Amino acid sequence: MSQSAATASPSIFDQVRFVLNETSHPGNVGSAARAIKTMGFGRLVLAAPRAGADVLRDAEAVALASGADDVLASALVVPDLDAALQGVSWAVALSARSREYGPPNAEPRESAAIAVQHAAQGGSVAFVFGSERTGLSNADVERCNALVHIPANPVYSSLNLSQAVQLIAWEMRMACLAHERGDAANVVADTSHEAIERATGLPTPSPGSAPHEALATRDDVEGMLAHLERALVDLDFLDPDNPKKLMTRLRRLFAKSHLEREEVNILRGIAKHILERRTRR
């Protein structure tokens, strides 16, 4: 692979962040840094690493970074997953377990194709990996827009954390390079618009169609959901002491809807008027 290909399209590559949530082993942090650098990416975020910020200087992490010292040194350490996802337009949770509730399921390749669409429009995208021992909690998964399972050998599907990062980084690289060639809608021969929509529940633009309006970021949607929840409580539609799965289901609904910023503003306007009307009464 030539050096020019490795650094192609930085405006898209730089929009992608790889988030390790509550990682325990410093070696996996170093290996993950190496994995994403080999695929042309450089944004590594550590959410509440068990070893703390010192993990970036750990001897094992530095040794396994093996030439990706710059990625390791510039990794961002934040206190929790919410901070890691701040400003993200579209987030993908990686999990070996299916969930009864949560965001729509997607294949790795389709999720990469959708992520590139967001990045090409200037949105930040994130791939979120859980801890080595427990993976991602249900609450962590619900913070994301899609849930991806790597279809490994069902007889022995155990993947090391850095191996999973490497696989997803490779899929993202292929999607980014395909976008450069102008065929992002067909990253591989069998990844059609219909396949992406079927796997993710997210619409993809047809060739020659008008561009989407500005996509809502994850922060936009989270703010809207909090605003809507207050309105539903005020309407007595949602019982805060017994919420059941209402907000979880609404979160899943809006994740499928691929909201634009203007649509989020409309929903917040509705919530605002509900609260104001109840206050006047």
Side-chain angles (χ1 to χ4, degrees), residues 231 234-236 272-281:
D234 209 45
L235 281 173
D236 296 327
K272 177 183 176 181
H273 279 275
I274 289 172
L275 291 167
E276 288 178 347
R277 191 178 184 89
R278 296 281 292 184
T279 300
R280 288 196 300 270
R281 286 182 175 179

Side-chain angles (χ1 to χ4, degrees), residues 17-18 43-47 49 56 71-78 83-84:
R17 66 182 77 169
F18 293 81
R43 298 187 66 185
L44 181 64
V45 182
L46 308 180
L56 301 180
V71 174
L72 183 63
S74 63
L76 183 64
V77 179
V78 296

Side-chain angles (χ1 to χ4, degrees), residues 17-236:
R17 66 182 77 169
F18 293 81
V19 178
L20 307 185
N21 189 51
E22 299 183 357
T23 307
S24 299
H25 304 300
N28 279 332
V29 175
S31 296
R34 181 181 182 181
I36 67 173
K37 183 170 182 177
T38 60
M39 296 295 111
F41 301 100
R43 298 187 66 185
L44 181 64
V45 182
L46 308 180
R50 300 293 172 84
D54 288 341
V55 70
L56 301 180
R57 296 177 290 275
D58 185 275
E60 186 180 4
V62 173
L64 290 179
S66 186
D69 309 74
D70 55 337
V71 174
L72 183 63
S74 63
L76 183 64
V77 179
V78 296
D80 52 38
L81 185 56
D82 281 331
L85 295 178
Q86 186 173 2
V88 166
S89 172
W90 201 64
V92 180
L94 276 292
S95 177
R97 296 184 290 115
S98 60
R99 313 294 170 114
E100 181 180 1
Y101 299 100
N105 293 312
E107 293 293 328
R109 193 153 299 174
E110 286 88 14
S111 72
I114 294 291
V116 166
Q117 291 180 21
H118 281 268
Q121 295 182 57
S124 291
V125 298
F127 289 87
V128 182
F129 302 80
S131 69
E132 298 89 338
R133 188 172 62 86
T134 59
L136 292 170
S137 69
N138 288 337
D140 293 333
V141 170
E142 288 178 9
R143 288 175 168 84
C144 299
N145 303 95
L147 175 62
V148 165
H149 168 68
I150 296 173
N153 178 4
V155 178
Y156 185 68
S157 60
S158 177
L159 280 172
N160 175 268
L161 173 60
S162 61
Q163 292 171 334
V165 172
Q166 184 78 78
L167 284 168
I168 296 301
W170 183 85
E171 291 287 4
M172 272 304 298
R173 179 171 180 80
M174 294 300 100
C176 288
L177 294 178
H179 183 273
E180 286 185 339
R181 296 191 300 267
D183 58 353
N186 204 11
V187 176
V188 290
D190 60 351
T191 305
S192 63
H193 291 298
E194 292 78 11
I196 294 173
E197 292 180 10
R198 184 170 59 253
T200 66
L202 302 175
T204 59
S206 301
S209 64
H212 284 299
E213 297 295 327
L215 295 169
T217 67
R218 178 190 165 278
D219 292 344
D220 294 333
V221 176
E222 288 297 316
M224 177 273 293
L225 283 167
H227 202 169
L228 183 60
E229 183 174 12
R230 293 197 302 272
L232 293 175
V233 169
D234 209 45
L235 281 173
D236 296 327

